[in-house]
Amino acid sequence: MRSICLPVDLELPDLDRLDAIVGTRRSVRRGDALYRADDAFQSLYAVRSGSFKTVVVHRDGGEQVTGLFLPGDPLGLDGVCHDAHACDAVALEDSSVCVIPFALFDAFCHDVKPMQRHFYRMMGSAIVRESNLLMVLGTMTAEQRVAAFLLNLSERFRTRGYSPTAFSLRMTREEMGSYLGIKLETVSRMFSKFQKDGLLETQGKSIHLLDLEGLARI
Amino acid sequence: MRSICLPVDLELPDLDRLDAIVGTRRSVRRGDALYRADDAFQSLYAVRSGSFKTVVVHRDGGEQVTGLFLPGDPLGLDGVCHDAHACDAVALEDSSVCVIPFALFDAFCHDVKPMQRHFYRMMGSAIVRESNLLMVLGTMTAEQRVAAFLLNLSERFRTRGYSPTAFSLRMTREEMGSYLGIKLETVSRMFSKFQKDGLLETQGKSIHLLDLEGLARI
DNA sequence: CGAATTCTTGATACCGATCAATAGATGTGG
DNA sequence: CCACATCTATTGATCGGTATCAAGAATTCG
């Protein structure tokens, strides 16, 4: 878990100090928010178990899912900008996070160069992840979006040591659709199509990918 | 200019050190790249004059414009993640940038806390900017996208002290379309429609917004 | 178990893509 | 500085992919 979350070589005294900073845990029930847009930014979080979505809420109530976070993913970086969070972070299932008070974390980064470097990487990763999503929303058909989404998940589960071909997805079709810029019915239709083509099997929330290469060719 | 680019109060010795770091200038001709995806990440940049677009290139040649950068905007943050840039940065017109060697800048941030803080803000802003674009691409109609784009530009010109209602836009319709996830013909049609409705006047690259509130209502 | 939410599937409508042709702008070399 | 070639923009006609509307089935959760 730490290898995903903090792939940094730290010596013992530093490691203890970090453990003290990250000490607190917090549980969030399915559907509850870890933080909301305009909440004061005080802490970063690391997903320990479960999963989260981040959503931007438009003035006229329109919601856009902008991120999906799995165990090990850092959460809350959107708040670094203006001392307030820019989106809501909502648990997709009963979940828990590590709380990382930013003031302490920042001071720690100041003293420990590899940690500073890793923090930069986390911020950079968030930027690149969103760029990739822009690419998906800007250039792909509905079919390609769903395929790209599944392949991305597969890869992320793989790096976490879980099966890259069989996993359970706690998002609803509607949330996936929002994330991908399409409607829930379209998501459902694409799943049906892929199933018909022998690329995957679905049974409710659990998904079994049968042909990763086939999905990649779409 | 510095007030956009570095809104930080620095004392004199620090200011001199920063000037030394930022010393170098670089000119980029229209259509040329300041950097390309996979180039080694060595420097950040600040736009001095002109404008840039960032583009992500898909394996099958598909291009997606992911950002538009005006004077004062920081450029290159996408490279902080993996020691290599994640996109191309291309000049939309003959332009110039300040070159900020990252190693020196990082050391400076380490010593000067307000600067560190400002760097965090820049990274955070990049994340929030992309979230907003995700919102545009995920939830808005073509008409709304073009209106939102023009209003965003208007606001950015305003904060820079330029006219918020009359400006010249060096992007082609195709580039705007790529940025907004629609085709160039659709961009053109929306401009024509807005013109018919008395919301703006266009003449080639120069745009005159006549009714900001009307655009916002769309 | 039972109510509520979520999912699937079908029929139809509409927005934006595509194809195409003309007009206008931009830049280059004579 | 003009003439020509090229790139860019506009506008129209048509097509297709997704959204929308609707109904019923499956799943989830209290």
Side-chain angles (χ1 to χ4, degrees), chain B residues 196-208:
Chain B
K196 186 164 62 65
D197 295 347
L199 296 172
L200 54 77
E201 284 171 351
T202 62
Q203 191 172 276
K205 304 268 188 211
S206 54
I207 294 179
H208 188 191

Side-chain angles (χ1 to χ4, degrees), chain B:
Chain B
M1 169 69 158
R2 171 168 283 157
S3 70
I4 300 277
C5 190
L6 294 173
V8 176
D9 283 331
L10 294 181
E11 302 302 319
L12 244 190
D14 288 338
L15 213 58
D16 285 345
R17 181 175 166 199
L18 184 59
D19 275 342
I21 292 174
V22 183
T24 324
R25 303 285 147 77
R26 184 169 150 196
S27 293
V28 185
R29 222 108 43 97
R30 177 185 136 77
D32 286 350
L34 174 60
Y35 57 80
R36 294 203 171 276
D38 298 327
D39 281 357
F41 168 64
Q42 291 174 329
S43 303
L44 295 173
Y45 307 91
V47 181
R48 276 175 58 77
S49 64
S51 54
F52 289 81
K53 65 174 176 179
T54 48
V55 298
V56 179
V57 181
H58 206 236
R59 41 182 162 72
D60 29 310
E63 278 198 3
Q64 168 72 21
V65 175
T66 57
L68 169 58
F69 297 81
L70 302 178
D73 285 333
L75 204 42
L77 291 166
D78 58 275
V80 176
C81 174
H82 290 116
D83 301 326
H85 285 288
C87 60
D88 298 359
V90 177
L92 294 170
E93 58 198 297
D94 292 353
S95 304
S96 72
V97 297
C98 301
V99 180
I100 308 168
F102 185 66
L104 297 178
F105 181 70
D106 187 24
F108 182 63
C109 284
H110 185 265
D111 297 339
V112 183
K113 197 141 179 216
M115 195 64 229
Q116 176 73 272
R117 175 147 202 75
H118 184 248
F119 178 55
Y120 287 167
R121 280 172 191 278
M122 291 193 326
M123 298 281 283
S125 295
I127 293 173
V128 172
R129 179 166 1 98
E130 289 193 339
S131 292
N132 290 334
L133 193 48
L134 285 176
M135 176 82 171
V136 170
L137 294 187
T139 70
M140 291 186 178
T141 64
E143 189 181 12
Q144 292 171 324
R145 294 180 197 204
V146 175
F149 173 65
L150 291 172
L151 288 171
N152 175 259
L153 278 173
S154 171
E155 180 59 22
R156 289 166 73 183
F157 281 120
R158 201 179 59 69
T159 61
R160 281 165 180 74
Y162 301 125
S163 166
T165 56
F167 44 84
S168 162
L169 200 42
R170 305 305 305 176
M171 300 178 102
T172 66
R173 301 287 187 262
E174 185 169 23
E175 287 164 335
M176 289 182 231
S178 171
Y179 188 55
L180 298 172
I182 56 184
K183 294 284 125 170
L184 67 138
E185 294 96 329
T186 304
V187 175
S188 186
R189 276 182 236 279
M190 292 307 145
F191 275 137
S192 298
K193 181 176 190 303
F194 290 157
Q195 193 150 12
K196 186 164 62 65
D197 295 347
L199 296 172
L200 54 77
E201 284 171 351
T202 62
Q203 191 172 276
K205 304 268 188 211
S206 54
I207 294 179
H208 188 191
L209 304 182
L210 300 173
D211 183 357
L212 293 177
E213 287 188 10
L215 283 172
R217 270 195 300 275
I218 286 172

